[in-house]
Amino acid sequence: MLEDNKSYLNDLNDAQLSAVLKTDGPSMVIAGAGSGKTRVLTYKIVHLVNNGVDPFEILALTFTNKAAREMKLRISSMIGESDSKSIWMGTFHSVFAKILRFEAHKIGFTSDFTIYDTQDSERLISSIIKEMSLDKDVYRSKSIRNRISTLKNNFITVNGYFSNNELVESDNLSRKPETGNIYREYNDRLIKSNSMDFDDLLMKTNELLNNYPEVLAKYQEKFKYILVDEYQDTNNSQYLIVKSLSDRYQNICVVGDDAQSIYSFRGANINNIINFRNDYDDIEIFRLEQNYRSTKNIVNAANSVIDHNKNKIDKEVWTENDFGDKVQISSNQSDIAEARSICQKIQTISDSKLSDIAILYRTNAQSRPIEDSLRLNKIPYRIFGGVSFYNRKEIKDILAYLRLIVNSNDEESLKRVINYPARGIGLVTINKIIISAQKNSLSLYDTIKRHKELNIPFSNSVSLKLQNFIDLIEVFKIENEKLNAFDLTKELLNKVKIIDDLKKDESPEGISRVENVQELLNGIRDFIEDQKEIADSNDNLSEFLSNVSLSTDFDLDYQDEDYISLMTLHLSKGLEFKHVFIVGLEEDLFPSALSYNTRSELEEERRLFYVGITRAKENLYLSYANSRYRWGKLIYCEESRFLNEIDKDFVDVINQIEFGSISNDISKKKILFKPKGNLRKLSSSIPENSSIKINFSEGDKVSHEKFGNGIIVKIEGLNNDTRATVKFSKFGEKNLLLRFAKLNKV
């Protein structure tokens, strides 16, 4: 314990020390990436206690329980557990829930009120929508919950909503005129059940402080010192609470980095930190600019990117670390080639564990080709913040349809899709089918098919719905005999209207699900293209499903072993890795096509890129594809503008368009592969009556987009049927049709 001596201050650099020693008055600590932000916060609290401040008078607010726990542990080790426990430290929601427990009676609640989580809220809203006889496809519970959450976080009450013509008109134009009435009923239900949702914890605290001056005075007096972590992530409601509580003594210290403000979709307002100096008199600003995490090249690359933003607080992050390797930028012929090149690079990193490596992407859907390549190369990985691609609900739903078409006796698949999208076949009906199937020793599918013959007591309406479902599957069983896997899946999605159903959810999660379906189609298209290469193969649905099953089984093999981390750029914030790959750096993908409307949106995308860059400690690899499938169509991609914003002094550019050829010449930065016209022609079949010129011989060393390097051991056949047996170093022998084979001499 360090109660009396100040030796801990020796751990701080000059900028950190100045921030810690500032005990009274308002201050803002602009903490660049890797600059020791948590240390400053922790030591500042310790220093306050060591200088006579009562721990009960300190309020420390964080955004995650993890951050709060880590700070408590550090503080406890320095000042002792007793004093540490006396500090009011936790997330915004946990701290203000505690205050509300004490003061609940003033706003019509009892101290034992229930807190509804997101799922509880959605279930309640779903019930209200049903009771109001509203179209659940228009009034989706998740979408309405997000709308209500936004209103509450902007301190807009039910009465405030109805008095705001702009808000009302906006919902009318969205064909959701009953949104306000749902909001009113939802709030009334919460009050009647003595419950609050997460957003109420902030909104009701604001209400308490605004309407009860004695309560405000009480907590102003109690919290003489207030510290806020990640201030750039605060929303309007959080801002108002902090401003009110700190107004008396103004001993407030906020810590954050405007360059890492990436959560506007959650309501975060970057202007809270940008304009903080305008909220208080005699404010001191401390800049933590020394980066302890990354090499000079990585730090300088990050600086050169973020300098392109106009709405920012000036700072110059620097480091005493070595220069290290330059940032590598690679162009790749396709997203498949991009994934393969990443695997190749990973296999050359010998000085680190797999857990030292992270692959970051803009959207979850981008994980699919990366996962496929990692599995193919038997490299263990883990998806963070979500589930692996083929285990995502919307993907499993579509695969269930496909499996049922191939095998109508697949009972689990049938139960999964018989009422998805909703077609009015409920649990009671399904249970009757299960009982009858067991009684008659039939599959569920055959039982439904024969339900009239079996005299199962269904109404005419239910009977018609069951027959329509059977007719749907039977039609696609016939189609499966004629169509390849891609065309059949595309036709199925159009017929069943799964995409239309998903698009009704306009939340970020809903958009992500649509992107995943798009990526599934891309994956099926990739599968078909691969099958063209391999002699005596087929591209039917059964083969594709078999391929998927074999892929997903791999996930079970490496549960407890060292693994590579895969996650979105948003989830990477606060983390660090020795080696970081950022993929898919293409216009419309990153920056997102949705960010082009305003400068602020584009600048947030740039801040997101900055966050990704600054996760890297030693090596940073940036890559993009010159072509990728979207909704099954091959399109040309343009490299992200962000890549051109990195100062060329800090990068090496690697063109991997020609497999096996690598160039570090900065003058060759411009992409070499620029197809013109309709790219789908590139992958079209060569007419059967044409002939091709064979440029390969036995003994040639070749490279393949998917299988890597190998040697041609045999060539046989004529013209379009010419085949090459290639022995690949990692995947053994493959018998490839040369008219389709993606081979390059090395």
Side-chain angles (χ1 to χ4, degrees):
M1 196 162 74
L2 302 171
E3 291 182 356
D4 297 317
N5 78 60
K6 305 292 177 31
S7 62
Y8 59 92
L9 297 177
N10 297 330
D11 298 337
L12 305 172
N13 64 34
D14 290 345
Q16 293 170 336
L17 181 63
S18 298
V20 167
L21 294 179
K22 168 71 175 177
T23 55
D24 295 325
S27 64
M28 178 168 65
V29 181
I30 302 300
S35 63
K37 166 181 70 70
T38 304
R39 171 172 287 188
V40 167
L41 264 177
T42 303
Y43 281 35
K44 192 175 182 74
I45 292 170
V46 170
H47 193 65
L48 286 169
V49 175
N50 284 343
N51 281 271
V53 175
D54 189 337
F56 285 94
E57 297 177 342
I58 299 173
L59 170 63
L61 297 169
T62 67
F63 270 84
T64 66
N65 288 311
K66 179 173 178 285
R69 282 195 303 270
E70 288 177 355
M71 285 178 61
K72 281 180 180 177
L73 284 170
R74 289 195 193 187
I75 292 168
S76 178
S77 70
M78 298 179 74
I79 63 173
E81 191 172 346
S82 177
D83 280 345
S84 170
K85 285 184 174 179
S86 302
I87 299 167
W88 278 51
M89 183 184 301
T91 64
F92 279 87
H93 292 96
S94 66
V95 168
F96 298 136
K98 190 175 177 180
I99 290 175
L100 289 170
R101 296 283 183 203
F102 289 121
E103 313 295 341
H105 60 282
K106 289 186 170 62
I107 53 174
F109 291 81
T110 65
S111 61
D112 59 349
F113 62 83
T114 301
I115 299 174
Y116 276 26
D117 63 18
T118 301
Q119 289 185 336
D120 295 329
S121 295
E122 283 184 19
R123 280 195 290 268
L124 176 55
I125 290 169
S126 182
S127 298
I128 292 168
I129 291 168
K130 186 176 181 180
E131 292 164 14
M132 293 175 67
S133 301
L134 300 173
D135 187 344
K136 65 180 182 181
D137 288 334
V138 176
Y139 294 91
R140 301 178 75 90
S141 57
K142 184 183 289 287
S143 176
I144 298 296
R145 188 198 69 80
N146 288 341
R147 177 64 163 163
I148 292 173
S149 176
T150 300
L151 292 169
K152 288 186 175 184
N153 283 322
N154 284 285
F155 207 35
I156 299 170
T157 63
V158 171
N159 291 336
Y161 172 87
F162 281 108
S163 61
N164 189 318
N165 292 330
E166 189 175 332
L167 290 173
V168 173
E169 185 59 26
S170 172
D171 286 328
N172 287 340
L173 291 172
S174 300
R175 298 188 302 112
K176 298 172 186 173
E178 294 297 318
T179 298
N181 291 324
I182 298 171
Y183 185 15
R184 178 189 286 121
E185 182 64 22
Y186 172 70
N187 259 14
D188 289 347
R189 294 279 190 91
L190 286 175
I191 293 169
K192 286 175 185 175
S193 60
N194 192 39
S195 301
M196 298 186 199
D197 62 22
F198 280 161
D199 301 305
D200 281 330
L201 298 177
L202 302 179
M203 191 174 183
K204 297 296 183 186
T205 301
N206 264 310
E207 181 184 325
L208 189 68
L209 300 179
N210 285 339
N211 298 341
Y212 297 90
E214 73 280 8
V215 175
L216 174 60
K218 172 183 173 181
Y219 288 100
Q220 285 179 335
E221 183 64 29
K222 176 173 178 54
F223 302 130
K224 292 185 174 67
Y225 294 86
I226 299 173
L227 301 96
V228 185
D229 190 18
E230 304 286 7
Y231 192 67
Q232 78 279 350
D233 293 333
T234 53
N235 59 30
N236 292 337
S237 191
Q238 291 161 332
Y239 164 80
L240 289 170
I241 295 171
V242 171
K243 184 75 167 61
S244 297
L245 290 174
S246 63
D247 199 46
R248 183 170 185 176
Y249 288 99
Q250 298 200 359
N251 295 324
I252 179 170
C253 175
V254 301
V255 182
D257 183 7
D258 59 295
Q260 297 186 66
S261 178
I262 58 173
Y263 294 122
S264 65
F265 64 93
R266 294 182 187 171
N269 187 349
I270 190 175
N271 290 317
N272 291 346
I273 192 168
I274 296 287
N275 299 327
F276 183 79
R277 70 188 75 190
N278 301 327
D279 290 334
Y280 300 89
D281 297 327
D282 301 321
I283 182 175
E284 283 194 59
I285 298 176
F286 302 93
R287 289 174 170 82
L288 307 185
E289 297 175 314
Q290 184 175 359
N291 179 297
Y292 291 93
R293 176 185 299 154
S294 308
T295 63
K296 279 188 174 68
N297 278 316
I298 292 171
V299 168
N300 291 336
N303 286 340
S304 64
V305 168
I306 206 64
D307 278 348
H308 286 78
N309 275 5
K310 295 186 182 299
N311 189 29
K312 66 180 189 297
I313 298 172
D314 290 334
K315 62 180 175 297
E316 188 65 32
V317 179
W318 58 277
T319 184
E320 290 183 345
N321 295 337
D322 294 336
F323 277 96
D325 295 335
K326 288 187 176 184
V327 176
Q328 285 193 13
I329 299 177
S330 66
S331 59
N332 300 270
Q333 189 170 16
S334 66
D335 54 340
I336 304 298
E338 179 184 41
R340 175 183 165 240
S341 71
I342 289 169
C343 287
Q344 288 179 328
K345 177 58 68 174
I346 287 170
Q347 290 164 338
T348 67
I349 301 173
S350 57
D351 63 333
S352 300
K353 300 181 294 183
L354 292 177
S355 57
D356 292 327
I357 302 171
I359 302 173
L360 312 180
Y361 34 77
R362 180 63 180 83
T363 67
N364 276 306
Q366 292 171 256
S367 76
R368 197 274 308 168
I370 299 167
E371 287 187 68
D372 287 349
S373 189
L374 289 169
R375 283 193 295 263
L376 194 64
N377 287 277
K378 295 188 167 27
I379 300 173
Y381 68 90
R382 180 180 171 188
I383 300 281
F384 284 82
V387 295
S388 61
F389 183 81
Y390 292 110
N391 285 324
R392 293 169 191 167
K393 180 186 179 302
E394 58 279 8
I395 302 302
K396 289 179 76 73
D397 289 338
I398 297 168
L399 292 177
Y401 267 110
L402 300 178
R403 289 190 176 105
L404 192 61
I405 292 166
V406 171
N407 174 20
S408 57
N409 291 327
D410 185 338
E411 296 197 350
E412 290 306 311
S413 293
L414 185 145
K415 287 189 285 188
R416 188 174 186 100
V417 302
I418 192 170
N419 198 41
Y420 178 76
R423 50 175 62 91
I425 302 174
L427 286 175
V428 173
T429 299
I430 294 169
N431 286 333
K432 286 182 181 179
I433 294 167
I434 291 171
I435 291 169
S436 181
Q438 292 171 342
K439 180 181 175 182
N440 294 284
S441 301
L442 295 171
S443 69
L444 296 186
Y445 189 86
D446 286 338
T447 302
I448 299 170
K449 203 172 180 179
R450 297 170 55 185
H451 72 272
K452 292 181 180 178
E453 171 192 335
L454 296 169
N455 294 316
I456 306 175
F458 293 134
S459 67
N460 289 336
S461 171
V462 170
S463 180
L464 180 61
K465 291 170 183 174
L466 290 171
Q467 190 58 54
N468 288 340
F469 176 71
I470 290 294
D471 290 346
L472 172 75
I473 302 302
E474 289 294 315
V475 165
F476 278 99
K477 286 170 75 171
I478 295 169
E479 292 291 283
N480 189 36
E481 300 296 320
K482 302 182 289 184
L483 301 176
N484 63 37
F486 174 80
D487 290 332
L488 186 138
T489 305
K490 195 171 181 181
E491 192 172 316
L492 175 74
L493 292 175
N494 289 333
K495 183 72 175 178
V496 182
K497 299 189 183 305
I498 288 177
I499 295 171
D500 291 346
D501 186 71
L502 293 173
K503 282 183 176 178
K504 291 171 183 174
D505 182 358
E506 297 172 355
S507 69
E509 295 84 0
I511 294 169
S512 179
R513 282 189 280 274
V514 174
E515 290 171 341
N516 287 336
V517 174
Q518 172 186 335
E519 190 54 40
L520 176 64
L521 282 173
N522 298 341
I524 298 174
R525 174 65 81 181
D526 286 338
F527 164 78
I528 289 172
E529 293 299 310
D530 287 345
Q531 293 301 98
K532 286 180 180 179
E533 292 185 79
I534 301 173
D536 303 320
S537 67
N538 60 63
D539 56 9
N540 63 24
L541 190 57
S542 181
E543 190 74 16
F544 169 71
L545 291 172
S546 176
N547 188 64
V548 168
S549 296
L550 291 171
S551 293
T552 53
D553 283 348
F554 172 86
D555 296 336
L556 304 174
D557 296 339
Y558 299 99
Q559 289 181 345
D560 302 317
E561 294 186 19
D562 193 25
Y563 48 74
I564 287 172
S565 299
L566 272 64
M567 68 189 76
T568 63
L569 284 139
H570 280 100
L571 279 177
S572 74
K573 187 171 176 288
L575 304 177
E576 60 181 40
F577 302 88
K578 279 188 179 181
H579 314 281
V580 171
F581 295 82
I582 304 178
V583 304
L585 278 155
E586 302 140 31
E587 289 290 299
D588 297 340
L589 189 55
F590 194 23
S592 165
L594 301 174
S595 69
Y596 297 157
N597 296 322
T598 64
R599 176 182 294 278
S600 63
E601 291 174 345
L602 183 60
E603 290 199 348
E604 177 149 330
E605 287 287 291
R606 187 175 286 112
R607 290 194 297 270
L608 184 58
F609 184 41
Y610 175 85
V611 166
I613 292 173
T614 54
R615 299 312 93 196
K617 297 165 68 175
E618 296 180 7
N619 294 99
L620 176 65
Y621 308 95
L622 310 176
S623 59
Y624 64 96
N626 285 302
S627 66
R628 67 172 64 236
Y629 285 108
R630 291 190 182 169
W631 296 111
K633 294 182 179 179
L634 194 60
I635 65 157
Y636 165 66
C637 306
E638 181 183 355
E639 64 187 278
S640 170
R641 70 189 70 188
F642 296 157
L643 293 176
N644 293 315
E645 292 174 357
I646 305 175
D647 192 307
K648 67 180 183 182
D649 291 338
F650 312 126
V651 301
D652 278 336
V653 177
I654 301 172
N655 285 306
Q656 301 192 68
I657 303 308
E658 298 294 334
F659 301 124
S661 69
I662 296 178
S663 171
N664 290 323
D665 185 354
I666 198 76
S667 67
K668 296 181 180 180
K669 182 175 181 180
K670 296 298 179 185
I671 45 185
L672 303 176
F673 175 74
K674 288 200 175 191
K676 298 179 181 179
N678 186 352
L679 274 178
R680 295 190 70 183
K681 293 177 181 178
L682 294 177
S683 60
S684 63
S685 300
I686 297 171
E688 291 298 324
N689 59 359
S690 69
S691 61
I692 60 169
K693 186 177 179 181
I694 305 301
N695 295 315
F696 297 101
S697 305
E698 293 179 3
D700 282 349
K701 293 180 179 179
V702 293
S703 179
H704 185 272
E705 184 179 272
K706 185 174 182 180
F707 302 127
N709 294 326
I711 298 174
I712 297 177
V713 296
K714 185 192 294 184
I715 294 178
E716 56 188 349
L718 297 171
N719 295 325
N720 292 338
D721 290 325
T722 305
R723 308 176 184 192
T725 302
V726 184
K727 187 175 183 179
F728 294 100
S729 56
K730 290 186 177 179
F731 298 97
E733 289 189 356
K734 301 288 181 182
N735 195 11
L736 306 179
L737 283 167
L738 284 180
R739 63 172 171 152
F740 296 121
K742 304 180 182 76
L743 292 176
N744 290 85
K745 291 183 182 179
V746 293

